[in-house]
């Protein structure tokens, strides 16, 4: 009987897309693949729903199974309790997920791969005797911080937020300010959000193993720390199976007009600016003007993805996908003055294609891990502008550990000035330091490419995961 691996991805594009890339490898290895998922429209995520439809259409050999709806699902608000509400929402689907797995032929499921924020279903898989592995869509360094967070701060000590910029030391990663931890970890230790986050960490460590979207060549120190039982005795096996990079995140693949413009530009001459796809990545009108002035003064070619700024009107719902009025948002005459060497694109550009284009010479990014991997795989040096989630930590890793980026430091004051935009663009595009960054990211590009070739570290780790699942299943 042919074995099946069930994927249970999270309700975010940044979680869904890399996990589903695993399906291609599983099919190559002779497994059937089923993606069980919750209807993202219940969370109000129309963009993810479109991505799921697109990905499903591109993978006809994979079965996509939408779980039945639950009644009275909690609503989502992006506030300090978002994680609590998210986990409550996903937890409501445990019974449906149980029923789905139970309906499959006995012994047919080789393993279940569960998103890091859906690990409450590990109780379901344990009850059914099915090996279950957590999927961590970010990097090994962030995972190392996450699993050590509770041990670094002891009972009665100041909270991470109270520590401010005081340096924290974690095994396997550079020293970082406490303020760079995720918002959930910066909540008070008695808060529901903090407790929920720490409980999620405990559940992850109860999985049969953890698959991480990275390669050993990018993060050797963090990978070594995660595999050291003297440092982290409660860790299950960690399998580095990245980089799992999709072509433009399931978006349309027709040639975008910006690619035709890039075709006309000299090699490595264009600075690409793109800050993710959620409302949290929309810059203020003042910040947009500072970026524009900095780009104009720097004098280099640029391709800039602009989205409408957020507003403060509580009576008017904010739509992060609203069409931006460029003439109103950017400095007067900016588009005309820079039209010969720059392009401003509204809302979205095919990021993977842009990064792989020969004309692209630098990438200004919000440091989301998928974007970081895409930059590394394309061999493009980066300028870090973290905004939310684990991006502040990623900035530290990119600058101090991987050596592939420089930091736009103004983000820490809430505004990156035009002078810094100009200076940092010139640094990466013109200076000896910029050449060193390019050489370093090229080395990581080669290492990442080798990881999935025969004998590569990620392919070997994936084979170990499948073998381990088979041995666990045999004992169930």
């Amino acid at each position: 009987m042919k074995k099946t691996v069930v994927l249970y991805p999270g309700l975010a594009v940044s979680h869904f897309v890399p996990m589903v890339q695993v399906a291609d490898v599983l099919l190559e290895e002779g497994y059937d693949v089923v993606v069980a998922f919750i209807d993202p429209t219940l969370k109000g995520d129309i963009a993810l729903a479109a991505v799921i439809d697109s990905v499903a259409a591109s993978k006809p050999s994979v079965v996509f199974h939408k779980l039945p709806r639950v009644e009275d699902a909690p609503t989502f608000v992006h506030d300090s309790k978002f994680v609590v509400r998210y986990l409550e929402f996903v937890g409501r689907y445990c019974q449906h997920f149980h029923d789905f797995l139970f309906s499959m032929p006995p012994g047919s499921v080789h393993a279940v791969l569960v998103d890091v924020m859906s690990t409450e279903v590990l109780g379901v898989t344990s009850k059914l005797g099915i090996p279950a592995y957590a999927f961590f869509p970010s990097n090994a360094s962030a995972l190392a911080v996450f699993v050590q967070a509770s041990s670094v701060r002891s009972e009665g000590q100041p909270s991470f937020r109270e520590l401010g910029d005081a340096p924290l030391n974690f095994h396997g990663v550079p020293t970082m300010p406490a303020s760079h931890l995720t918002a959930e970890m910066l909540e008070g230790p008695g808060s529901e959000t903090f407790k929920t986050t720490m409980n999620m960490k405990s559940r992850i460590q109860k999985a049969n193993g953890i698959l991480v979207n990275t390669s050993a060549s990018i993060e050797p120190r963090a990978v070594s720390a995660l595999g050291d039982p003297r440092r982290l005795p409660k860790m299950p096996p960690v399998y580095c199976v990245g980089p799992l990079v999709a072509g433009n995140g399931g978006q349309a693949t027709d040639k975008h007009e910006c690619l035709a413009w890039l075709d006309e530009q000299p090699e490595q001459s264009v600075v690409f600016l793109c800050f993710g796809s959620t409302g949290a990545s929309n810059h203020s009108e003042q910040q947009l003007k500072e970026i524009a002035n900095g780009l104009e003064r720097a004098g280099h070619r640029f391709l800039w993805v602009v989205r409408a700024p957020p507003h403060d009107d509580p009576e008017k719902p904010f739509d992060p996908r609203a069409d931006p009025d460029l003439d109103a948002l950017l400095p007067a005459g900016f588009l005309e003055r820079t039209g010969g060497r720059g392009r401003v694109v509204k809302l979205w550009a095919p990021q993977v294609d842009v990064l792989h284009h020969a004309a692209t010479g630098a990438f200004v990014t919000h440091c989301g891990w998928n974007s970081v991997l895409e930059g590394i795989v394309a061999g493009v040096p980066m300028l870090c502008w973290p905004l939310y989630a684990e991006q502040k930590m990623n900035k530290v890793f990119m600058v101090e550990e991987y050596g592939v980026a420089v930091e736009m430091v103004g983000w820490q004051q809430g505004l990156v000035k035009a002078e810094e935009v100009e200076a940092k663009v010139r640094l990466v595009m013109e200076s000896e330091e910029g050449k060193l960054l390019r050489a370093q990211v090229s080395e990581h590009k080669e290492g990442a490419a080798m990881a999935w070739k025969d004998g590569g570290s990620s392919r070997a780790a994936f084979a170990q995961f499948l073998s381990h699942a088979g041995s666990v299943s045999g004992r169930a």
Side-chain angles (χ1 to χ4, degrees):
M1 177 175 58
K2 201 172 185 181
K3 289 281 193 174
T4 299
V5 175
V6 176
L7 310 182
Y8 192 38
L11 287 173
V13 173
S14 59
H15 287 234
F16 181 92
V17 171
M19 182 192 278
V20 177
Q21 291 304 107
V22 172
D24 296 335
V25 190
L26 290 167
L27 293 172
E28 289 177 13
E29 297 290 336
Y31 292 86
D32 284 337
V33 181
V34 176
V35 178
F37 65 98
I38 299 169
D39 184 353
T41 61
L42 297 175
K43 179 175 164 279
D45 197 335
I46 307 301
L48 176 57
V51 166
I52 292 175
D53 289 343
S54 177
V55 171
S58 70
K59 299 183 185 296
S61 299
V62 177
V63 175
F64 285 78
H65 175 81
K66 185 188 295 184
L67 296 175
R69 294 186 172 211
V70 298
E71 297 297 326
D72 302 320
T75 57
F76 282 86
V77 180
H78 284 270
D79 59 11
S80 62
K81 288 191 174 182
F82 173 78
V83 168
V84 176
R85 293 190 181 95
Y86 180 97
L87 294 179
E88 179 190 353
F89 178 80
V90 173
R92 298 278 295 279
Y93 278 84
C94 284
Q95 186 60 48
H96 286 318
F97 191 63
H98 170 278
D99 295 345
F100 167 67
L101 292 177
F102 190 73
S103 71
M104 300 184 74
S108 65
V109 180
H110 185 73
V112 174
L113 188 56
V114 178
D115 181 72
V116 66
M117 293 186 68
S118 302
T119 49
E120 195 166 323
V121 299
L122 292 177
V124 169
T125 56
S126 177
K127 178 181 177 181
L128 295 174
I130 299 173
Y133 295 77
F135 180 78
F136 195 77
S138 191
N139 47 63
S141 300
L143 178 60
V145 170
F146 186 47
V147 297
Q148 294 178 68
S150 58
S151 61
V152 167
R153 186 207 156 272
S154 302
E155 189 80 25
Q157 290 186 333
S159 69
F160 288 128
R161 183 183 297 279
E162 291 169 329
L163 290 173
D165 290 332
L168 296 177
N169 295 300
F170 298 96
H171 300 301
V173 302
T175 300
M176 73 176 67
S179 61
H180 282 31
L181 299 177
T182 64
E184 293 77 22
M185 287 191 275
L186 292 176
E187 288 289 315
S191 70
E192 189 178 6
T193 296
F194 186 87
K195 291 177 180 177
T196 299
T197 303
M198 292 301 105
N199 287 338
M200 184 169 62
K201 180 209 76 168
S202 298
R203 285 199 301 272
I204 293 170
Q205 293 177 296
K206 292 178 181 177
N208 292 111
I210 305 173
L211 275 65
V212 185
N213 187 15
T214 191
S215 70
S217 64
I218 298 173
E219 304 184 86
R221 195 153 68 105
V223 172
S224 176
L226 289 169
D228 186 350
R230 296 168 300 175
R231 299 290 193 185
L232 298 171
K234 296 181 180 180
M235 284 297 291
V238 174
Y239 305 98
C240 295
V241 297
L244 298 166
V245 175
N248 296 316
Q251 299 283 351
T253 56
D254 293 340
K255 185 163 183 176
H256 194 279
E257 60 182 1
C258 72
L259 298 175
W261 177 78
L262 283 172
D263 289 342
E264 301 171 357
Q265 310 310 312
E267 188 171 330
Q268 295 183 350
S269 67
V270 176
V271 179
F272 176 49
L273 302 92
C274 189
F275 299 94
S277 58
T278 75
S281 61
N282 290 41
H283 290 303
S284 68
E285 185 172 345
Q286 181 185 8
Q287 183 63 83
L288 292 174
K289 284 183 168 59
E290 292 289 338
I291 295 172
N293 288 329
L295 290 174
E296 185 171 1
R297 287 156 52 169
H300 286 276
R301 291 171 173 83
F302 64 86
L303 174 62
W304 180 17
V305 181
V306 172
R307 304 173 67 210
H311 59 72
D312 297 323
D313 184 355
E315 302 297 322
K316 183 181 177 184
F318 172 58
D319 180 4
R321 306 298 296 177
D323 202 33
D325 182 349
L326 298 180
D327 290 326
L329 293 173
L330 303 180
F334 170 78
L335 294 173
E336 292 75 17
R337 292 192 301 273
T338 61
R341 61 178 174 84
R343 281 290 182 275
V344 177
V345 177
K346 295 182 179 182
L347 298 176
W348 182 84
Q351 181 165 292
V352 173
D353 291 340
V354 170
L355 289 171
H356 281 271
H357 199 286
T360 303
F363 179 26
V364 184
T365 173
H366 66 315
C367 306
W369 185 240
N370 287 329
S371 292
V372 175
L373 280 183
E374 289 163 7
I376 289 174
V377 169
V380 177
M382 289 169 270
L383 296 91
C384 297
W385 191 325
L387 297 170
Y388 56 93
E390 89 287 11
Q391 294 163 13
K392 299 173 188 179
M393 295 193 295
N394 290 348
K395 179 267 300 183
V396 174
F397 310 146
M398 294 164 69
V399 174
E400 299 183 25
E401 189 78 354
Y402 318 152
V404 299
V406 294
E407 178 186 5
M408 293 279 204
V409 297
W411 70 267
Q412 297 191 52
Q413 288 74 48
L415 186 71
V416 177
K417 298 285 189 65
E419 293 82 2
E420 185 178 12
V421 174
E422 175 189 6
K424 292 296 170 59
V425 165
R426 288 182 179 276
L427 183 152
V428 174
M429 299 295 284
E430 300 173 10
S431 73
E432 289 301 315
E433 186 176 345
K435 290 179 182 177
L436 184 61
L437 288 175
R438 196 174 303 279
Q440 188 71 17
V441 77
S442 294
E443 287 187 23
H444 283 301
K445 173 185 176 180
E446 293 175 9
M450 289 296 298
W452 268 108
K453 291 182 178 178
D454 287 343
S457 62
S458 293
R459 185 165 288 279
F462 200 81
Q464 290 166 5
F465 146 64
L466 292 173
S467 175
H468 185 266
S471 67
V472 173
S473 178
R475 297 196 304 267

